[in-house]
Amino acid sequence: QVQLVESGGGSVQPGGSLRLSCAASGFTLDYYAIGWFRQAPGKEREGVLCISSSDGITYYGDSVKGRFTISRDNAKNTVYLQMNSLKPEDTAVYSCARARGGECNYGMNVWGKGTLVTVSS
């Protein structure tokens, strides 16, 4: 069964850090791009970052540049989202998704259920 499971969410103070993990099962991670998305309360889902099968990085917007990074460990079938200098506006449910192929612009067709990140003092 093709599946993505996120972990690592939680509550953190502004300026803090978290690392989210996206564990893949049922397929070989090497061949696919994986993206991280988030949905804040009352807002639409937005893209955060994506990493292609060849480790190319795509930023979906400017809000996380210089603060968030994405990486993958194919041996562990896991993609990570390192989030530093967190702000209250980063509060959201973070989900990972698998693209239809090795590039981020192929579109996503497998989604995890998400993990909640809360940034608050």
Side-chain angles (χ1 to χ4, degrees):
Q1 181 183 1
V2 174
Q3 194 173 10
L4 297 170
V5 178
E6 303 91 340
S7 62
S11 295
V12 64
Q13 292 187 340
S17 297
L18 282 175
R19 188 178 78 158
L20 305 184
S21 298
C22 172
S25 60
F27 65 98
T28 302
L29 186 65
D30 307 44
Y31 303 125
Y32 293 93
I34 301 291
W36 281 98
F37 298 79
R38 66 185 182 184
Q39 187 166 20
K43 295 187 176 181
E44 293 187 356
R45 185 173 61 200
E46 64 174 356
V48 180
L49 277 163
C50 182
I51 185 166
S52 73
S53 60
S54 57
D55 291 342
I57 305 298
T58 297
Y59 283 88
Y60 288 112
D62 293 334
S63 63
V64 303
K65 282 185 178 179
R67 302 189 299 124
F68 290 14
T69 58
I70 189 171
S71 62
R72 61 194 297 152
D73 186 337
N74 290 337
K76 294 183 178 180
N77 246 26
T78 302
V79 173
Y80 303 99
L81 182 68
Q82 178 67 45
M83 306 186 296
N84 299 327
S85 302
L86 282 160
K87 304 175 181 179
E89 51 264 42
D90 295 318
T91 294
V93 173
Y94 285 73
S95 302
C96 60
R98 190 194 78 175
R100 290 180 172 83
E103 300 297 330
C104 295
N105 61 4
Y106 287 176
M108 307 296 170
N109 65 348
V110 178
W111 292 84
K113 293 183 178 180
T115 184
L116 177 63
V117 172
T118 302
V119 185
S120 174
S121 55

